[in-house]
């Protein structure tokens, strides 16, 4: 049994396909199968169950996959930390997150970090949902994931950074634009532009709307917050989006942001495999992003004046 055997086996369990892992690792399917067969010989039991559309781990396979995943994750983190200690301030920080997250939450922290550590490589991997970020974090050689916080995830530690209130984005000439807030009745009568249900933020929003009795009709779905805002600005519907730090409410120009106080705030923050094994450079970057989110002005509420400066 080798570390490579375990890595390949874990990858097969996650992908549910020998051929998919073979393509990913640029190996033959026979070579991937040999790794699994070697583990099955040593374990003395079947670890995978072959099905018409792929493979699934047996009970014994799930036990081995869970244990191997934890061990591999800890080993990868240790090797990364050793490498950073050896290279001093010339290592790397690898982050996975959504497509528009970097601009909304990390731009100031990236500039400050790059100025302080010019030799450190900042690498970003884009995923489409928090779940895919978790998968990338556990499967890849990544340090941090910026995600929507939504309950415990096995093998992952999460730390909320900021809770984002929801707003309804409408055109300045919309009848709702001058309202101090919007409620369920306003949403029920709107053509809503909403986030995809496969995203964690979209799923949380749909669940909150359902609790308020707001059901989806011919709503428009988009892949990210920026696209939702653009469609709202074009008058193609009302966008329900989280209010990011620094946004003015009710806003100016062609778009207005109407608070939705009946919707629970959306918690977002960091996820890692183990905080105590995080590399020093990754910890510095995570702290910089958290400070930036807390330091920026909170959204200005109707009737409030922004603080000077």
């Amino acid at each position: 049994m080798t570390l490579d055997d375990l890595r390949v086996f874990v990858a097969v369990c996650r992908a549910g396909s020998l051929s998919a892992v073979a393509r990913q690792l640029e190996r033959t399917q026979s070579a991937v199968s040999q790794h699994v067969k070697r583990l099955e010989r040593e374990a003395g039991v079947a670890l995978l169950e072959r099905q018409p559309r792929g493979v699934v781990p047996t009970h014994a396979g799930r036990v081995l996959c869970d244990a191997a995943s934890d061990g591999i994750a800890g080993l990868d983190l240790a090797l990364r930390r050793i490498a950073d200690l050896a290279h001093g301030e010339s290592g790397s920080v690898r982050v996975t997150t959504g497509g528009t997250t970097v601009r909304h939450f990390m731009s100031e922290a990236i500039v400050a970090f790059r100025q302080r550590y010019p030799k450190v490589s900042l690498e970003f991997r884009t995923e489409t949902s928090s779940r895919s970020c978790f998968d990338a974090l556990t499967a890849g050689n990544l340090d941090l994931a910026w995600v929507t916080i939504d309950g415990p995830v096995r093998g992952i530690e999460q730390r909320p950074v900021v809770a984002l209130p929801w707003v309804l984005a409408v055109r300045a000439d919309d009848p709702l634009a001058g309202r101090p807030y919007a409620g369920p009745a306003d949403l029920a009568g709107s053509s809503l532009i909403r986030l995809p249900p496969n995203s964690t933020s979209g799923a949380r929003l749909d669940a909150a709307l359902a609790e308020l009795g707001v059901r989806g009709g011919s709503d428009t779905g988009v892949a990210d917050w920026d696209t939702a805002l653009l469609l709202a600005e074009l008058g193609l519907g009302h966008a329900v989006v989280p209010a990011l730090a620094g946004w003015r409410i009710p806003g100016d120009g062609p778009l207005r942001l109407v608070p939705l106080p009946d919707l629970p705030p959306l918690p977002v923050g960091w996820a890692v495999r183990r905080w105590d094994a995080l590399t020093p450079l990754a910890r510095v970057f995570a702290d910089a992003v958290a400070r930036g989110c807390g330091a920026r002005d909170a959204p200005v509420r109707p009737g409030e004046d922004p603080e000077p400066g």
Side-chain angles (χ1 to χ4, degrees):
M1 180 183 300
T2 67
L3 180 59
D4 198 30
D5 290 337
L6 293 172
R7 287 186 186 277
V8 171
F9 176 68
V10 170
V12 170
C13 289
R14 288 186 176 132
S17 168
L18 294 168
S19 59
V21 173
R23 290 192 298 271
Q24 177 186 349
L25 300 179
E26 297 183 344
R27 305 181 189 182
T28 65
Q29 184 170 331
S30 176
V32 170
S33 181
Q34 287 302 315
H35 287 287
V36 177
K37 289 179 180 178
R38 185 157 47 240
L39 290 175
E40 290 181 325
R41 284 197 301 269
E42 295 198 29
V45 294
L47 299 175
L48 292 178
E49 178 183 343
R50 276 68 177 178
Q51 296 186 342
R53 294 188 177 182
V55 295
V56 296
T58 62
H59 177 69
R62 288 194 296 273
V63 171
L64 179 60
C65 181
D66 289 343
S69 297
D70 292 342
I72 291 170
L75 179 60
D76 286 342
L77 286 170
L79 293 174
R80 287 289 310 283
R81 189 162 190 175
I82 291 171
D84 282 347
L85 290 173
H87 293 94
E89 296 182 356
S90 60
S92 64
V93 176
R94 298 173 182 175
V95 181
T96 179
T97 187
T100 62
T101 300
V102 173
R103 179 166 65 86
H104 288 309
F105 295 99
M106 303 182 190
S107 56
E108 295 176 7
I110 290 172
V111 172
F113 186 85
R114 292 292 295 152
Q115 291 174 344
R116 183 177 178 185
Y117 301 103
K119 296 181 180 180
V120 175
S121 172
L122 275 175
E123 303 173 20
F124 295 92
R125 172 172 169 175
T126 300
E127 297 291 347
T128 57
S129 68
S130 293
R131 170 50 58 185
S132 58
C133 284
F134 293 141
D135 291 341
L137 192 63
T138 56
N141 194 16
L142 299 167
D143 298 298
L144 299 157
W146 182 266
V147 298
T148 298
I149 306 296
D150 188 37
V153 177
R154 189 185 186 283
I156 298 291
E157 297 180 25
Q158 301 178 69
R159 290 190 179 179
V161 172
V162 63
L164 305 173
W166 293 92
V167 294
L168 187 67
V170 301
R171 282 175 58 91
D173 57 0
D174 190 277
L176 294 175
R179 295 277 297 276
Y181 63 89
D186 301 308
L187 296 177
S190 298
S191 174
L192 297 180
I193 301 166
R194 283 152 59 173
L195 303 177
N198 66 311
S199 69
T200 305
S201 57
R204 287 181 68 107
L205 174 60
D206 286 346
L209 291 174
E211 287 187 8
L212 294 174
V214 180
R215 303 295 178 181
S218 57
D219 299 345
T220 301
V222 295
D224 55 65
W225 303 339
D226 288 351
T227 304
L229 291 173
L230 175 60
L231 294 184
E233 185 176 331
L234 294 174
L236 300 181
H238 296 160
V240 181
V241 294
L244 302 178
W247 282 9
R248 289 185 56 84
I249 297 177
D252 51 24
L255 203 61
R256 296 291 184 269
L257 304 176
V258 183
L260 294 167
D262 292 322
L263 293 178
L266 183 73
V268 297
W270 286 119
V272 302
R273 285 174 290 188
R274 283 178 51 196
W275 283 101
D276 60 359
L278 200 62
T279 67
L281 290 170
R283 190 181 297 275
V284 168
F285 181 72
D287 290 344
V289 173
R291 285 195 304 271
C293 289
R296 286 185 290 178
D297 293 338
V300 179
R301 301 294 181 181
E304 293 180 349
D305 294 325
E307 296 182 2

